Amino acid sequence: MARVRYGARTEAEIGAARTASSRLPDIWSTGVVAVWESDPDAIAAVLPPPLKPTGRPLVRVNISKVDLPGYPLGAGSFAVAAAHDGVEGWYPLVMPMTHERALIGGREVFGEPKKLGEVTVERDGLVVRAALARHGIEFVEVRGAVSGALPLPEPTQKTDFYFKFLPAVDGSGFDADPVLVHCVRNEKVRRLERITGDVVLRESMYDPVADLPVRELVGITLGEKTTDQKGRVVERVSGQALLPYIHQRYDDPQQILDGPPEGSV
């Protein structure tokens, strides 16, 4: 009988896949990073407990094209500064990805708020433009010109905070208490340039980042970097406390209450 492809994989096949994923070479991306000070009350409003604001109300947008062989990827992150248990990092509100594979892995393994979207990173001479778009709306645009090279930073660690959860089958909350994940990224940079420009936030009912306005631009850079990441569950959190923020993960928060129509399966 021909192999049934939905059938169980062997232990050898599972082991080989695990080994291959642990031996990935450095994967370099080219991207624009913009950081600005925003409204501290707005930042505090988007942070689910137990996350807390830091001493500075920062927002960061990262817009990158990733050099995956035969599988180029556009990846973005719009995040606010946050702290938990003495650790300062970033809490992403939306992470547009151009391919389903990057989206599924991040959401199901780490709890990342990834969604399918459009990612643009363009350079024409000194002129640079980067944007994140979904549903036909460019809700973030960074534009400017290269104004000089910057010294390369030392390899560094950065932390992102995610909430991993499953909505309850009966629509009452969650199947189990959500977990808070610390995702630590080791970052190396091989090229970095300063960009003189600005950040434009456009209104979108799906991605309302315009609620976190640019009060003071800290800086914009264009760089080439590679990162690896490891996540760990640091604690279980109150589902009741997280529930008011669950809409951050979905375009339509009602969809988590939707079951399949009768007769559709």
Side-chain angles (χ1 to χ4, degrees):
M1 182 179 73
R3 178 170 185 177
V4 178
R5 286 167 290 177
Y6 271 127
R9 297 289 177 92
T10 66
E11 290 186 9
E13 289 172 321
I14 295 171
R18 185 178 294 116
T19 299
S21 65
S22 67
R23 294 179 178 174
L24 290 175
D26 286 346
I27 298 173
W28 294 88
S29 65
T30 301
V32 170
V33 177
V35 179
W36 63 90
E37 287 193 1
S38 190
D39 182 341
D41 292 335
I43 289 181
V46 303
L47 292 176
L51 298 183
K52 297 180 179 180
T54 62
R56 194 176 182 190
L58 295 178
V59 178
R60 181 195 68 189
V61 64
N62 189 330
I63 307 173
S64 300
K65 287 293 183 73
V66 187
D67 298 329
L68 296 177
Y71 196 74
L73 170 70
S77 174
F78 187 102
V80 300
H84 172 253
D85 198 22
V87 177
E88 292 197 359
W90 299 92
Y91 174 61
L93 294 170
V94 61
M95 301 176 69
M97 300 284 134
T98 57
H99 293 311
E100 186 179 26
R101 181 175 181 180
L103 182 152
I104 291 174
R107 284 178 70 102
E108 296 190 3
V109 176
F110 293 97
E112 295 172 327
K114 290 184 173 180
K115 299 178 180 179
L116 286 175
E118 299 171 19
V119 178
T120 300
V121 180
E122 300 172 330
R123 178 171 183 172
D124 183 4
L126 297 179
V127 177
V128 175
R129 178 180 177 274
L132 300 176
R134 297 180 65 250
H135 301 288
I137 302 169
E138 277 195 349
F139 58 93
V140 180
E141 182 183 16
V142 183
R143 56 199 184 185
V146 175
S147 54
L150 291 170
L152 297 182
E154 293 294 322
T156 187
Q157 282 192 342
K158 298 180 179 180
T159 301
D160 280 357
F161 305 115
Y162 306 123
F163 291 94
K164 184 176 179 179
F165 57 80
L166 285 174
V169 173
D170 62 6
S172 63
F174 303 100
D175 278 333
D177 284 339
V179 295
L180 175 60
V181 175
H182 284 198
C183 183
V184 177
R185 289 184 168 84
N186 296 296
E187 180 178 286
K188 294 185 294 184
V189 179
R190 67 182 182 186
R191 183 176 181 180
L192 193 64
E193 295 173 292
R194 180 187 297 108
I195 302 295
T196 300
D198 59 3
V199 177
V200 178
L201 305 179
R202 296 188 178 90
E203 178 58 36
S204 169
M205 64 179 291
Y206 305 103
D207 303 289
V209 300
D211 292 346
L212 297 157
V214 180
R215 292 283 177 85
E216 182 178 346
L217 186 62
V218 175
I220 305 173
T221 58
L222 173 68
E224 296 179 6
K225 65 182 180 182
T226 184
T227 62
D228 60 46
Q229 68 179 46
K230 291 184 178 180
R232 66 185 181 93
V233 173
V234 294
E235 66 175 87
R236 288 201 173 271
V237 301
S238 164
Q240 184 176 4
L242 182 61
L243 194 60
Y245 299 88
I246 195 174
H247 64 281
Q248 295 175 345
R249 193 67 56 89
Y250 304 97
D251 289 347
D252 179 4
Q254 289 299 114
Q255 73 187 61
I256 65 171
L257 307 177
D258 294 342
E262 291 187 12
S264 65
V265 293

